[in-house]
Amino acid sequence: MMKNLAIGYVHSNKERDKIRPSDVGLEQEAQHVRLWSGPVHQRNGSHPSLPTIKYLHLHECDSFSGKEREGLIKRGKKVQIGIFCMPPSSVIPLHNHPGMTVLSKLLYGSLYVKSFDWLDFPVAADPSEARPAELVRDTEMTAPSGTTILYPSSGGNIHTFEAITPCAILDILSPPYSSEHGRHCTYFRKSPRRDLPGELQLNGMMTVSDVTWLEEFQPPDNFVIRRGQYKGPVIRR
């Protein structure tokens, strides 16, 4: 059952939008959110200690076989499926997905999402130098909602999540992060420099306004993602 859902999630908009918390063993948590009446959401700057996020690992394989691997997930690409369970006010800082396609589905709850794509502009030799990016999304999402898809260079490849209520995000990554293959997860923040232009001309033709300059940074020590226990159906190949 869960394998069929995962395959449908990859290849069909209709099937992706049908996945529910009960399909992945999170009905009890979703019910808690429906009854939740916590305090008004506060921005994370007021929280000296960030709430701990849990990651539930569902499945990883070389790829789905046969016709199952045609479509959004390219043939021969590894696939990793997992769920991030976020308590209210928790934040996953701005981070990238190098060379990856990622399908995300908010299973329950509400969150803020903000995402960027790099602009096609000469990159500084020093990776710590700020790079220009264009805002793709800055919005609030509440389940049930549609699936979002990001690609290696479009769709908001660099994004951040901030939980408003308890929430859970189902992710399918292809290929997944791999230090061996140069797919590192790098965190970013808005550069504090004031001398960077807010407008750029690309290729001597197109002008992009409202440019955001992002620089690498290390998340604070109190940013923690712990491994949780997945209690839903097993995905079998």
Side-chain angles (χ1 to χ4, degrees), residues 23-41:
D23 295 321
V24 289
L26 292 175
E27 178 55 34
Q28 185 174 349
E29 289 82 353
Q31 181 64 24
H32 170 70
V33 173
R34 295 183 194 112
L35 302 174
W36 189 75
S37 57
V40 175
H41 173 75

Side-chain angles (χ1 to χ4, degrees), residues 61-105:
C61 63
D62 289 338
S63 68
F64 292 121
S65 60
K67 293 182 179 179
E68 297 162 1
R69 49 185 193 183
E70 299 172 359
L72 290 171
I73 301 301
K74 294 182 181 292
R75 186 180 299 273
K77 295 287 187 180
K78 286 191 174 182
V79 175
Q80 184 182 79
I81 306 174
I83 298 172
F84 290 93
C85 297
M86 301 179 65
S89 299
S90 63
V91 174
I92 298 179
L94 201 63
H95 61 283
N96 66 348
H97 307 81
M100 300 158 63
T101 297
V102 181
L103 293 81
S104 299
K105 167 75 174 175

Side-chain angles (χ1 to χ4, degrees), residues 4-226:
N4 292 335
L5 280 171
I7 294 168
Y9 185 75
V10 171
H11 302 296
S12 165
N13 286 328
K14 184 177 179 181
E15 291 302 317
R16 282 197 292 271
D17 293 339
K18 284 166 62 175
I19 294 183
R20 300 162 299 181
S22 57
D23 295 321
V24 289
L26 292 175
E27 178 55 34
Q28 185 174 349
E29 289 82 353
Q31 181 64 24
H32 170 70
V33 173
R34 295 183 194 112
L35 302 174
W36 189 75
S37 57
V40 175
H41 173 75
Q42 295 179 326
R43 289 287 172 172
N44 221 53
S46 61
H47 293 268
S49 179
L50 304 184
T52 300
I53 298 164
K54 284 195 303 183
Y55 175 74
L56 313 179
H57 181 75
L58 276 67
H59 186 66
E60 186 167 343
C61 63
D62 289 338
S63 68
F64 292 121
S65 60
K67 293 182 179 179
E68 297 162 1
R69 49 185 193 183
E70 299 172 359
L72 290 171
I73 301 301
K74 294 182 181 292
R75 186 180 299 273
K77 295 287 187 180
K78 286 191 174 182
V79 175
Q80 184 182 79
I81 306 174
I83 298 172
F84 290 93
C85 297
M86 301 179 65
S89 299
S90 63
V91 174
I92 298 179
L94 201 63
H95 61 283
N96 66 348
H97 307 81
M100 300 158 63
T101 297
V102 181
L103 293 81
S104 299
K105 167 75 174 175
L106 183 62
L107 296 172
Y108 62 77
S110 299
L111 55 70
Y112 290 112
V113 58
K114 193 170 190 176
S115 64
F116 299 86
D117 283 325
W118 294 122
L119 289 172
D120 185 13
F121 194 76
V123 179
D126 184 353
S128 66
E129 287 289 323
R131 290 180 60 186
E134 184 175 26
L135 181 67
V136 174
R137 176 175 297 182
D138 185 5
T139 189
E140 179 180 324
M141 295 178 63
T142 298
S145 60
T147 302
T148 61
I149 306 172
L150 62 84
Y151 300 95
S153 58
S154 64
N157 185 277
I158 309 151
H159 66 196
T160 177
F161 296 127
E162 183 174 359
I164 300 171
T165 71
C167 61
I169 307 158
L170 173 67
D171 272 355
I172 292 184
L173 286 70
S174 181
Y177 291 108
S178 169
S179 297
E180 179 184 356
H181 296 96
R183 293 189 299 274
H184 307 277
C185 181
T186 303
Y187 292 94
F188 298 91
R189 66 182 175 189
K190 186 175 179 179
S191 174
R193 288 177 53 184
R194 295 174 178 265
D195 60 331
L196 298 170
E199 185 176 284
L200 287 177
Q201 190 174 49
L202 305 181
N203 302 318
M205 299 170 58
M206 183 175 69
T207 298
V208 178
S209 57
D210 297 325
V211 173
T212 300
W213 291 82
L214 304 178
E215 63 181 22
E216 294 184 16
F217 92 116
Q218 289 298 318
D221 292 339
N222 57 358
F223 169 61
V224 178
I225 297 180
R226 299 194 187 281

